[in-house]
Amino acid sequence: MTNSDRIRILIVENEGLVGCDMATTLGKLGYVVVAICASGEEALERLDEFRPDLVLMDVHLAGQMDGIDTARELQSRSRVAIVYVTACADLDTVARARGTHPHGYLLKPFNHDELRLAVEVAAQRHFEENERQRREHSYFEAFQSLADGVIAADLSGGVVFMNPSAARATGWDAQEAVGRSLNEVFRIYQSTGEPAEILSAESATQAAERTVYLTTLAGERVPIQDRTAPLRDAQGQLTGLIILFRAAAVPAPVEATPIPNRSTAPLVDVVESISDPLFALDARWRVTYANASALRLFDRNLQNMLGLSLWDIMPSATRELHHEAFAHAMLHRETVNRELYLDEKQIWLELRGYPFGEGLLLLVQDVTARREEAERRNRIDRLESLGLLARGFAHDFNNLLTVLLGNISLAEMRLRNAITLPELHTAKQATLQAQNLVQQLLTFARGGAPIKTQIRLGDLIETFFTHHTRANRVEYRIEVQPGLPQIAIDGAQIRRLLSNLIRNAEQAQPDGGEITVRCFAPDHAEMFPGEMVTDTNFQPSGLAIEVEDKGEGITTEHLPHIFEPYFSTRKADNATGLGLTVCESIAKAHGGSLTVSSEHGKGTTVRFYLPLDSDGEEADAFGLSKVFDAAPELNAANPRILVLEDDPLVRSLIVRNLTGNGFDVAESSEGSETVRMYQESVTQGRAFDLVILDLSIPNGMGGVRAMEKLRAIDPEVFAIVSSGYSDDPVMANPAAYGFAAVLPKPYEPADMLRLVRNILATRGIRRAS
């Protein structure tokens, strides 16, 4: 942000490496990091020295105080913004943190972009709050020092502010006047002695200042000139009036006219020109006044409107839903705010009621656009929450799946020559299905960047239907164009896309039907109609998958909403409304598109167009999947491998798998330990041939940072990055971070062995060259 140089940041983090990494990142972005503290006590003790604007606060700290208590104490001493940076996401901790009104909550592990966004948002919010408070303070000071009188009133006619000039002119004490009726404090009359009405906002802008006579608390008549302006909140809603007045150089009339005993005048006279509908009710709910906007809203003239009950002009369901709230407000003389739906005009209205006389003053506003925007934001928030939830447990869950899948696979290999157990095969298939569910959720987390390898779409479709449980009375047809090229895709994501499309097609034909799946290279005339091509044999650089059903189809009304999150017409089927949203996310992540054509009653066709990736050679880092069809035999005896994995069960599985296949394995559970062990191996002249790094280590150095240090020690280091966060940018583009390949969790031991042997063989080839 442009104000980064104004923001001073204090980092309170008990893990030194994490704190240093954050400080380095923020320094590159132009922020001033004043210090890194390991405890809350240190941060409080040196608060005056640091003078931070923003504090990045861990929850678990080295001292006696935790981060939340420290934040609360910091806020009591200074105007400081708090962003929690922590691995704690349990409800109790979040509830405690919420009580300190933080400017952000960033869950570990995070990448540099996430840290940058969190700090930018918090810094901008802090800057805007300071600016707002500065303006409010300056306005207050300006009002206090004005020579003109200033009185502010709310919509119910109650005084909420009076400056010293107004207090002197009216004879009222400013504190005593607040809360009283405006007509009691600001009593104005014409020269004839008739009561003068307070100017409306519209007339005040069209005419010059008028001269009226103000009656002070002592009964003295003073000539004044006044103006009136509306008070609005940040959303532009009318909240009251502000009156400015000054003494006028006009002598009072020679003949004093008796001052009538003036009761509270209808405030609706003041706001007649307000564009929002407004009407007044008496104690029996009868309309006693309605402005022009209110008459237009209900399509009535004034004669037909006056005397009607509120409940006669509102929809029939309104009384049941809102009568109690309005009755309570009228009885206890309180304000009330309710929203209701006006069926005949299909709009949402907000009714704000203010005590007025014996009844209520109702201000009506069309809030349809606001409601629709709120619903849209709510859908987005639910998606973000889903992504945060998915990412929060995916790492640990995928670690467990790795252990399950690995041990089942090892058991299968040991028993393969002795006995075949169908139970093991079933358990493995269930584990793979569990993996698919986690990946389905992760599609929403951080964009679900695909981890690409070279695959033939026809083979993927045939394999999918080999394991797919087919619906009753549904005929499946598969049409794959021969000779299609390989394409760089994330096979797991494309299988999820296909699964969602097939499931939708099956649900559209509950009584049976037909589903056709086509895979082909679309011709240019079909994809780009109206364009001329000189080469008649030209084929666009892309492939398509089509899923067609003969079901109920999609109505014209519903078709524009099918990609919206949580939109579904199948409530009885426990539908989530996420299927096509997931598919669209996958298509966009691959640089492709998803189109739907449907006619109600005749079926639906969904086409997924996938461009051929010009960077396909980099799909699996160094293109290892194209170098070897099977794992090669290694010439070197007992290659040395260093493993970084914080989960003991996963680490044990990796070590057993590799040592059982002739590798010399060393293990570590934290990145700094990995770096130390590699440094020692280089010093001894026995550098490790390969390093396998877990991407994320809670409260420690993870794979990316460890890789940076390893490359500083040995630029020729070969490493594989592995993680349950398969949506992380490192997993999608490992070569950019110096990794030779990527291994998403969960995986089978045979997959790891094949990848390790390919990497080591490639290392040997490159060294030989």
Side-chain angles (χ1 to χ4, degrees), residues 239-290:
T239 59
L241 299 169
I242 186 166
I243 301 170
L244 294 91
F245 64 95
R246 66 182 63 170
V250 178
V254 176
E255 303 214 358
T257 304
I259 299 173
N261 182 17
R262 186 181 181 196
S263 60
T264 302
L267 191 62
V268 290
D269 292 341
V270 180
V271 291
E272 171 63 31
S273 60
I274 296 173
S275 59
D276 291 331
L278 182 145
F279 52 94
L281 306 174
D282 63 15
R284 299 175 63 183
W285 304 107
R286 293 177 302 190
V287 177
T288 59
Y289 175 83

Side-chain angles (χ1 to χ4, degrees), residues 42-52 74 77-78:
E42 181 185 0
L44 292 169
E45 181 181 348
R46 304 179 64 185
L47 177 62
D48 293 337
E49 174 188 349
F50 297 147
R51 294 180 294 107
L74 283 173
R77 300 186 187 184
S78 174

Side-chain angles (χ1 to χ4, degrees), residues 159-182:
V159 175
V160 295
F161 171 78
M162 175 184 283
N163 75 343
S165 296
R168 288 192 297 271
T170 61
W172 285 87
D173 177 85
Q175 298 294 332
E176 185 181 352
V178 172
R180 292 181 178 270
S181 169
L182 176 63

